[in-house]
Amino acid sequence: FGLGPRAIRPIMDPVMLEPDERGYPQSVSDFLILGARLNGSARAYRIRDLARHEVANEHFGEAHVAVAY
């Protein structure tokens, strides 16, 4: 049964920050992440964000990937 199709919108091509960019978490930040690495690329997604969206549609180089929580 559940919520039905398209009830929860995925995160589409999330913006990833580099360590020197504004908005990048400080080393004293405290939150849980889900990490993914593929084809030499690595990403980190906050569990808080994935709990609301459940899926992030992402590109790892040429690969199209759905990161699910």
Side-chain angles (χ1 to χ4, degrees):
F1 302 126
L3 298 174
R6 297 185 180 91
I8 301 173
R9 295 182 353 179
I11 302 169
M12 301 298 291
D13 295 316
V15 175
M16 295 291 159
L17 301 174
E18 297 292 328
D20 58 343
E21 290 183 295
R22 181 181 166 149
Y24 190 84
Q26 298 179 0
S27 61
V28 295
S29 297
D30 186 21
F31 50 84
L32 298 174
I33 63 165
L34 181 143
R37 182 169 48 177
L38 179 68
N39 296 336
S41 296
R43 306 281 193 278
Y45 307 88
R46 286 191 296 194
I47 296 293
R48 178 177 76 195
D49 297 330
L50 287 176
R52 290 187 316 219
H53 295 277
E54 296 181 353
V55 174
N57 291 320
E58 177 73 276
H59 292 89
F60 283 75
E62 296 295 317
H64 297 264
V65 177
V67 178
Y69 173 71

